[in-house]
Amino acid sequence: MDRQRDPVADDARGLVRAGVLLLTVTCAAAAYRSVAAGDAGSVAFVTVSYGALLLLLRFLRAYELAQALEEAAAAERERLRRKVWALCTLLTAMFAWKVASVMPWPVATGVWAAAAVTSAGGFVLMFRQRRP
């Protein structure tokens, strides 16, 4: 069965590719500057956050494509939902750690509190809300 091409989906794919290319170039430049400065922690941060973002995009796309009505697909969507939440929580914690490290302690406490509330809120919305 031939699938008809959707021009809107083709445009979206092009935007996603352009975004991933921009993300790759930006991360490569950040990693290069961190290596040149001898900052191994920043190299690790850039590398892990880049990998997590790519995995997040991959899992979100797989979640979109999974059939919602089949029982086996429903289990796969649930696994993908867990992976998406875990990656979002990882990225939130990593960026909170990076930002909080350069802030005075009262502001750093607020940054960590915002990260915790964001992750907890995401958990509630993704797993505890009743779905129609």
Side-chain angles (χ1 to χ4, degrees), residues 71-94:
E71 189 172 320
E76 178 63 20
R77 284 173 63 95
E78 186 64 29
R79 282 190 292 279
L80 289 168
R81 187 180 295 125
R82 279 188 241 124
K83 289 177 183 180
V84 165
W85 179 80
L87 285 169
C88 288
T89 300
L90 170 69
L91 287 166
T92 301
M94 286 178 61

Side-chain angles (χ1 to χ4, degrees), residues 16-29:
V16 169
R17 286 187 181 124
V20 170
L21 178 64
L22 181 65
L23 175 68
T24 301
V25 170
T26 304
C27 288

Side-chain angles (χ1 to χ4, degrees), residues 59-70:
F59 292 147
L60 283 172
R61 182 66 178 152
Y63 183 81
E64 287 175 350
L65 294 176
Q67 298 295 325
L69 300 178
E70 296 178 23

